[in-house]
Amino acid sequence: MMRCCIRVLTTTVRSYPQAHQLLIRKMATSSSTPPPTGSSKTHFPSDASLPGERFEVRQTHETGDYTPDPSKSFPLSPARQALVDDIVALYEMKPTVQRVKRYTPDCVYNDQFVYADDRYKMAGQWFALPKLFRSAESHGYQVVTNDRDLIQFRHEEAWTFKIIPKTAVINALVSLSLDPSSIDDDFIRVKYHKDQANDKDYSNEGLGATFKKWQADNVSKYMDSPEVKEFEPDKNAGKEPRQTYGRGDEKGDAPVKNL
C-alpha cells in the first residue's frame, strides 16, 4: 500500500508496455494444462480467538521475482475467488466498508513500509491510497498456494502518483492467512495479510520496523472519513507484540520456497 510513495525514490519507474499487458491477458486464456487444485495442508492454529500475529507465514524466495503468469493460476472455489477479487479491488483503490470487513478486527497487515496490527489501522491504509495515487491498476495475478488456511498469489500492480506523473510497476507476493472460523463460509476473512516485493522476508526489527508501525499507528488518526471511523472500535481488538526474527532469511525462520 504505502510502500510505493517511498519506493519511487529508489525504484526506477516506467510506463507499462501495452504489448506486455496483451501478453498477460493472452496467457490467462491459453493454458494448455489445467493447474493443480488446492490442498488440505494447514499452516496456522485452528483457534480463531488467537490474535493476528499468530498467523504470520514466513518465506524467502531465491530471486524475488514475483511476476505472475495468470495461465498457471490455481483454481479457487467461488468463496475464495470472491475473497481474492475483493483484495485485488482494494489494491486498485476501490475500498468499501464491506471489503475492509474481509479482515478480522485483530488482523495484521505487513509490507515494506506498513505494519498495521488491527482493522482500524488497516482501514486507514486502504482509504488513504486515493489521496496519494491518481490511479492503481492490477495487471494480473497468479494464485500459487491454495491450502486449507492460506492463499498466496503473485500480483502485478501499476501505481500512478498524483504529484509525480510517473507510473511504478510492482510485482509482489501476497499472502492471505485465513481466519479459521470463516474458512468454510461464503464470506472468508483474513487474519494476516503479508505483501513481499523482494526475496527476503521481514525481520520485524530495527528502525525500519519502527517506522512501519509508526506510520500505520498514525495514518488512521488523520483520516477524516466516516468509513474509517466505523472501524474505530477495532482499536481495542486483541493483539500481541509483533514477533521478531533477527533477520529475514532461513536463519530468521523464513525458509526458501519456490512459489
Side-chain angles (χ1 to χ4, degrees):
M1 282 184 281
M2 299 292 292
R3 66 167 187 254
C4 295
C5 62
I6 300 174
R7 187 170 183 176
V8 71
L9 299 176
T10 56
T11 301
T12 300
V13 294
R14 62 191 186 276
S15 296
Y16 193 73
Q18 184 177 11
H20 189 43
Q21 293 184 47
L22 294 174
L23 177 61
I24 285 185
R25 294 191 184 104
K26 183 177 180 181
M27 287 192 301
T29 59
S30 62
S31 177
S32 57
T33 57
T37 56
S39 80
S40 60
K41 181 179 179 180
T42 59
H43 303 260
F44 311 110
S46 59
D47 184 356
S49 68
L50 294 174
E53 288 84 0
R54 301 282 190 95
F55 294 81
E56 180 184 6
V57 65
R58 301 283 297 170
Q59 72 261 310
T60 59
H61 190 271
E62 291 180 351
T63 66
D65 181 7
Y66 297 121
T67 304
D69 181 349
S71 70
K72 297 179 180 178
S73 187
F74 291 11
L76 298 172
S77 68
R80 288 177 174 236
Q81 186 62 59
L83 169 64
V84 171
D85 288 346
D86 277 343
I87 299 300
V88 171
L90 287 170
Y91 275 104
E92 292 192 307
M93 297 198 311
K94 301 172 184 174
T96 65
V97 168
Q98 190 68 3
R99 283 175 176 151
V100 175
K101 286 183 178 179
R102 281 294 190 178
Y103 299 93
T104 60
D106 60 351
C107 68
V108 173
Y109 178 89
N110 192 3
D111 74 7
Q112 286 183 304
F113 295 101
V114 174
Y115 188 93
D117 58 358
D118 61 54
R119 192 167 57 181
Y120 173 59
K121 297 174 188 176
M122 170 81 77
Q125 298 298 315
W126 290 124
F127 282 99
L129 286 180
K131 298 181 181 297
L132 300 172
F133 300 97
R134 182 175 301 157
S135 67
E137 181 182 357
S138 174
H139 284 156
Y141 64 85
Q142 175 191 351
V143 177
V144 293
T145 301
N146 183 22
D147 292 340
R148 171 71 177 162
D149 57 2
L150 177 66
I151 297 173
Q152 294 178 296
F153 59 93
R154 299 182 179 205
H155 184 217
E156 184 160 285
E157 181 90 4
W159 303 88
T160 301
F161 298 88
K162 273 192 171 181
I163 299 175
I164 306 172
K166 296 291 185 180
T167 297
V169 179
I170 308 295
N171 288 294
L173 177 68
V174 177
S175 300
L176 306 176
S177 304
L178 306 182
D179 166 34
S181 68
S182 66
I183 285 177
D184 297 314
D185 295 347
D186 291 334
F187 193 80
I188 301 171
R189 300 197 298 173
V190 175
K191 277 280 196 178
Y192 202 113
H193 180 152
K194 179 175 281 189
D195 184 308
Q196 294 172 254
N198 53 44
D199 57 320
K200 293 291 189 293
D201 209 328
Y202 306 119
S203 69
N204 293 339
E205 294 187 26
L207 291 177
T210 300
F211 169 78
K212 285 166 57 168
K213 192 170 187 309
W214 177 88
Q215 193 274 120
D217 288 350
N218 285 277
V219 166
S220 296
K221 298 177 184 178
Y222 300 103
M223 287 292 294
D224 186 18
S225 164
E227 292 87 356
V228 174
K229 290 186 182 301
E230 181 161 338
F231 295 99
E232 244 181 322
D234 296 338
K235 291 191 295 185
N236 301 317
K239 61 189 73 175
E240 295 179 347
R242 63 182 182 271
Q243 298 186 43
T244 56
Y245 301 94
R247 53 198 296 175
D249 56 15
E250 288 186 272
K251 292 184 178 180
D253 193 25
V256 175
K257 296 181 183 177
N258 183 20
L259 295 167

